[in-house]
Amino acid sequence: MSQTIFAPWDDPNEKPLIQFKGVTKRFGDFTAIDNLNIDIFEREFFALLGPSGCGKTTLMRMLAGFENPTSGSILLAGQDIVPVPPNKRAVNMMFQSYALFPHLSVWDNIAFGLRRGNASKDEIADRVEEMLRLTRLSKFAKRKPHQISGGQRQRVALARSLAKAPKLLLLDEPLGALDAKLRQDTQFELMDIQEKTGTTFVIVTHDQEEAMTVASRVAVMDEGRLIQVATPSVIYEAPETVYVADFIGDVNIIEGTASQSGDKVEITWAEGEMPIRGTTAKTFAPGQTCHFAIRPEKVTITTERPDSANMLQGRVIDIAYLGNLSTYHVKLPNGTMMKAQTANTRRLANRGITWEDDVWLSFTDTAGVLLER
Amino acid sequence: MNLRRFFLIAVPYLWLGALFLVPFVIVLKIALSDIALSIPPYTPQLDLSAGWEGVRSFFADLDFENFTFLTTDDLYWKAYLSSLQIALISTFVTLLVGYPMAYGMARAASEWRPTLLMLVILPFWTSFLIRIYAWMGILSNEGLLNQFLLWTGLISEPLTILNTNLAVYIGIVYAYLPFMILPIYAALEKMDDSLLEAAEDLGCSRVTAFWLVTIPLSKSGIIAGCFLVFIPAIGEFVIPSLLGGSGTLMIGKVLWEEFFSNRDWPVASAVAIILLLILIIPIILFQRNEQKQREAEG
Ligand SMILES: Nc1ncnc2c1ncn2[C@@H]1O[C@H](COP(=O)(O)OP(=O)(O)OP(=O)(O)O)[C@@H](O)[C@H]1O
Ligand SMILES: [Mg+2]
């Protein structure tokens, strides 16, 4: 039983669907996108993640054709699309502001793009009905956009951009206004559509969990630059910088000086604390400043002294109960706060650790990653 | 507490009653009277000193004679029709001229918009009458327009524009242009630019996006502008009498002549009542449009 793993970015023979080559976009003297290079492959579900104002929407708008890069080129299937107007691109975009036509009903909004092609009336009707079913809007087909809720509007915008089954679909925060349950359903729906239609998706999201769930690769952006592009698991398990580690998920960062022997590194980080032992494939010069990043769920919390490569003693300051998980905020003697997460496999009353308890934190020497910056 | 509510509701009704209903009743009464050589020039007058008998004879003397008279002379219905035609055509031309101007204003950089808006309103700072007189100076045979055209060599004989219907059209379009521009501008300015982008994204060219998105979204402004031009234009008196010729037939002019040349107040009032009835239809339609618009936004 062998399953081919979908990883065209690792295959040098694979031609990317979209290529950004040295793309820079300036608004006046403000640089929104700074010399950006990306390859996005066919059938990818590419997620853009980054803080507000880092240029995600600008990037999408360049793909859709509403902004032209100040310099650099954008290729779609090997062809420069910068001179191609938006209505001639096989690209559809779902707008962050939805941009629904207020004078048209939900039905007509969804049919709008289909009517521009040369599909017959029946084909259009079938397609619209299908989209309405998919987004569970059948009941609202006759309403105008101002007569439906925010989440329903978002689904209309989604349905409208999906209707034409474009080669490339750009989704700018498509699911932000949906409740958790509907969002999850829609995420799976999107993945399903993607699988069925082979459409390439570029999706902007503020929700890292969403990026993790749906994306084949995640790009983390900051101030118009790409910080790291990798699969969700690599981004999570092996971030390249502190910025990425910090942006995706919860993390403990410890700064110290490295002394390396082989792939083992000892990090001296505080007076009177044992050095932290880690493993890395990188090389650190002796005495080089480095950051040790470890996820809270990889830190074990116990009341007894454990036997592990790394052990730290501290006191529980706070416990965040998340239902399935609990996060313990532990203060070390030198004031550093560490987070440890455990699965709540037992009932609340049977758990041994509570506020103000002295505890041990421990982790193996391969649990964390070492970062240069 | 009920008294307070009563007063609150009463104020607008009193206002309407004093400024609309009372004058209307007076005009209606005159329309039902007969012409007389007296001051005021109509009869009967209500004589309350004669008591109940006086009131009864007063009502007995009112009749629809003047309205019947309007149907016997074809001058009147021709004047109504001609006014209707002139008002319709000039409304349409005003729309054709005003829409691109409003569109240009709405698309202009936002720091320019207040200035442009000011320029549209600027003519109101001079008297309407003076502006129409100015057009006489422009359009007459020796006027600026003809001098300019003769100078460029486009024409060798001066064009006769003043005292024709063309001059009336020019006058109406000029005078009512701001009433067309402002509501359309208000509608276009509210429009979200991303709607046009969405239309283009879904395969529209710029031109189709304009037809399918911009025009429908400015529809309420277009309708409001058209009514704001059409309603006053149909009863317009100053422009046809100053710019129009003897052949220009408009009901406003007829009305004026009945009042001041013939001193036939009853017939003049009957003409006014009919004009009002004709205008009530577009006014009701206009109100409907406004209400629908409010509902769509609310
Ligand atoms: N038309 C414009 N003129 C000037 N600056 C602009 C313009 N459009 C975007 N910017 C600037 O470019 C930067 C990137 O904007 P963009 O909309 O791409 O951010 P974003 O990553 O989508 O943010 P968010 O997550 O809040 O949607 C912002 O600082 C923004 O102010
Ligand atoms: Mg954005």
Side-chain angles (χ1 to χ4, degrees):
Chain A
M1 189 190 99
S2 86
Q3 198 177 0
T4 46
I5 298 158
F6 178 73
W9 48 88
D10 286 334
D11 182 352
N13 295 324
E14 200 66 50
K15 290 264 177 298
L17 179 69
I18 305 160
Q19 269 179 300
F20 278 72
K21 287 190 169 166
V23 173
T24 297
K25 174 72 192 175
R26 290 197 189 89
F27 295 107
D29 53 6
F30 176 79
T31 307
I33 299 289
D34 190 4
N35 190 20
L36 190 108
N37 295 293
I38 326 181
D39 291 344
I40 299 174
F41 294 85
E42 211 170 328
R43 303 180 147 262
E44 256 207 269
F45 209 123
F46 195 86
L48 288 171
L49 219 61
S52 183
C54 69
K56 305 180 296 288
T57 299
T58 308
L59 195 73
M60 299 279 243
R61 289 174 58 80
M62 287 198 284
L63 272 174
F66 301 125
E67 307 278 3
N68 280 332
T70 313
S71 63
S73 55
I74 303 171
L75 309 184
L76 181 70
Q79 190 194 359
D80 189 359
I81 54 165
V82 172
V84 182
N87 56 331
K88 297 276 177 347
R89 297 189 183 187
V91 175
N92 281 144
M93 174 151 169
M94 179 187 158
F95 288 73
Q96 195 169 5
S97 62
Y98 314 153
L100 299 179
F101 303 120
H103 58 297
L104 298 180
S105 67
V106 167
W107 208 98
D108 290 324
N109 260 286
I110 298 173
F112 192 92
L114 299 169
R115 291 203 171 117
R116 304 283 83 74
N118 35 24
S120 76
K121 265 209 161 74
D122 291 340
E123 282 166 353
I124 293 174
D126 288 348
R127 183 73 183 155
V128 173
E129 294 299 335
E130 191 186 333
M131 288 299 121
L132 286 169
R133 257 197 313 280
L134 184 68
T135 47
R136 296 182 214 171
L137 286 166
S138 305
K139 268 193 285 185
F140 309 104
K142 289 203 178 63
R143 300 229 194 138
K144 293 275 173 72
H146 67 90
Q147 295 165 321
I148 55 179
S149 77
Q152 288 160 353
R153 255 173 252 164
Q154 196 168 41
R155 281 182 278 154
V156 178
L158 182 62
R160 189 179 68 177
S161 60
L162 282 171
K164 284 186 94 175
K167 216 183 201 177
L168 172 63
L169 190 58
L170 308 171
L171 306 171
D172 201 346
E173 297 194 31
L175 313 176
L178 305 185
D179 62 79
K181 179 87 179 69
L182 190 57
R183 180 179 326 181
Q184 213 169 45
D185 288 352
T186 317
Q187 281 166 5
F188 284 116
E189 209 63 72
L190 281 179
M191 287 156 72
D192 207 40
I193 291 167
Q194 203 256 2
E195 224 138 85
K196 272 193 216 136
T197 60
T199 306
T200 308
F201 281 63
V202 178
I203 181 172
V204 167
T205 172
H206 273 293
D207 179 355
Q208 33 154 315
E209 208 174 300
E210 182 170 295
M212 294 291 184
T213 315
V214 298
S216 61
R217 278 192 305 163
V218 175
V220 180
M221 288 181 71
D222 188 30
E223 294 184 348
R225 273 164 304 145
L226 283 180
I227 306 296
Q228 187 175 2
V229 183
T231 59
S233 57
V234 170
I235 288 269
Y236 191 77
E237 301 287 344
E240 277 167 9
T241 63
V242 174
Y243 180 83
V244 174
D246 204 21
F247 196 79
I248 312 279
D250 232 350
V251 74
N252 297 299
I253 307 272
I254 292 169
E255 195 180 331
T257 49
S259 63
Q260 191 166 11
S261 61
D263 64 348
K264 299 287 176 212
V265 183
E266 291 206 339
I267 304 148
T268 321
W269 63 283
E271 285 291 312
E273 292 280 356
M274 293 257 295
I276 289 171
R277 294 196 193 91
T279 313
T280 187
K282 302 191 189 97
T283 33
F284 289 88
Q288 187 185 343
T289 306
C290 74
H291 301 266
F292 180 77
I294 183 161
R295 302 280 177 199
E297 71 273 13
K298 300 208 166 70
V299 180
T300 313
I301 183 166
T302 47
T303 42
E304 303 294 318
R305 188 178 198 280
D307 184 27
S308 182
N310 294 291
M311 286 173 295
L312 301 163
Q313 218 172 354
R315 175 167 291 179
V316 177
I317 299 296
D318 202 2
I319 305 173
Y321 177 67
L322 306 173
N324 54 342
L325 302 170
S326 286
T327 306
Y328 298 87
H329 296 247
V330 176
K331 192 174 185 176
L332 306 186
N334 66 349
T336 311
M337 294 295 295
M338 289 277 285
K339 281 178 243 168
Q341 205 166 52
T342 54
N344 292 331
T345 46
R346 297 211 231 158
R347 300 291 302 266
L348 206 55
N350 300 344
R351 254 172 275 135
I353 302 168
T354 181
W355 280 267
E356 300 298 327
D357 278 358
D358 288 316
V359 290
W360 287 89
L361 300 178
S362 59
F363 42 91
T364 63
D365 62 355
T366 53
V369 284
L370 276 120
L371 305 169
E372 287 163 38
R373 57 189 163 84
Chain B
M1 142 230 134
N2 261 343
L3 209 64
R4 223 177 83 188
R5 241 181 66 189
F6 173 77
F7 275 115
L8 271 179
I9 297 170
V11 168
Y13 278 100
L14 280 176
W15 183 267
L16 269 180
L19 292 178
F20 183 76
L21 200 59
V22 171
F24 176 77
V25 169
I26 293 173
V27 172
L28 182 65
K29 189 253 149 190
I30 299 176
L32 299 175
S33 310
D34 292 320
I35 186 167
L37 280 173
S38 63
I39 293 176
Y42 51 86
T43 174
Q45 317 277 349
L46 182 55
D47 184 8
L48 287 177
S49 60
W52 182 237
E53 201 45 46
V55 175
R56 186 175 309 162
S57 76
F58 169 77
F59 276 104
D61 279 349
L62 296 178
D63 54 47
F64 286 93
E65 227 168 47
N66 297 312
F67 292 96
T68 337
F69 171 69
L70 291 188
T71 58
T72 57
D73 192 337
D74 61 2
L75 166 80
Y76 297 103
W77 66 262
K78 275 186 180 153
Y80 282 120
L81 273 187
S82 157
S83 300
L84 211 61
Q85 185 191 353
I86 290 177
L88 277 175
I89 294 176
S90 39
T91 304
F92 184 66
V93 176
T94 315
L95 176 63
L96 288 188
V97 177
Y99 197 96
M101 291 176 78
Y103 187 77
M105 283 167 65
R107 305 246 103 196
S110 56
E111 65 264 28
W112 276 100
R113 286 184 206 158
T115 317
L116 293 172
L117 209 57
M118 200 62 221
L119 287 175
V120 170
I121 306 169
L122 200 64
F124 289 124
W125 289 14
T126 353
S127 145
F128 177 67
L129 215 54
I130 291 177
R131 286 184 282 135
I132 299 302
Y133 270 116
W135 274 103
M136 293 174 75
I138 296 171
L139 298 177
S140 72
N141 279 8
E142 306 79 41
L144 291 173
L145 181 66
N146 272 315
Q147 280 182 20
F148 175 74
L149 290 177
L150 285 169
W151 174 75
T152 56
L154 276 173
I155 52 168
S156 51
E157 290 283 299
L159 299 172
T160 314
I161 302 175
L162 191 63
N163 302 329
T164 65
N165 277 0
L166 180 60
V168 176
Y169 286 125
I170 293 176
I172 294 180
V173 170
Y174 162 76
Y176 292 109
L177 194 58
F179 297 107
M180 184 63 85
I181 293 180
L182 294 177
I184 296 177
Y185 168 75
L188 286 175
E189 210 228 333
K190 272 193 306 202
M191 206 179 97
D192 182 359
D193 281 346
S194 66
L195 293 178
L196 291 177
E197 287 182 346
E200 276 187 68
D201 189 64
L202 293 166
C204 281
S205 65
R206 292 263 164 103
V207 181
T208 20
F210 178 79
W211 278 110
L212 293 173
V213 179
T214 312
I215 294 277
L217 286 179
S218 53
K219 199 177 81 192
S220 66
I222 294 174
I223 293 175
C226 285
F227 280 123
L228 287 178
V229 173
F230 178 79
I231 292 170
I234 197 169
E236 183 55 54
F237 158 69
V238 174
I239 296 172
S241 58
L242 291 185
L243 300 181
S246 50
T248 307
L249 198 55
M250 279 193 82
I251 201 66
K253 229 167 93 181
V254 171
L255 190 80
W256 196 86
E257 271 155 19
E258 290 295 348
F259 256 114
F260 297 102
S261 306
N262 296 350
R263 280 187 64 77
D264 191 343
W265 287 23
V267 167
S269 302
V271 170
I273 297 280
I274 300 287
L275 179 61
L276 186 73
L277 292 181
I278 294 175
L279 283 181
I280 276 179
I281 301 165
I283 289 173
I284 290 174
L285 288 176
F286 176 65
Q287 294 283 10
R288 276 254 185 90
N289 172 56
E290 294 280 288
Q291 191 170 345
K292 248 173 56 189
Q293 179 63 17
R294 268 199 301 276
E295 273 166 16
E297 277 168 10

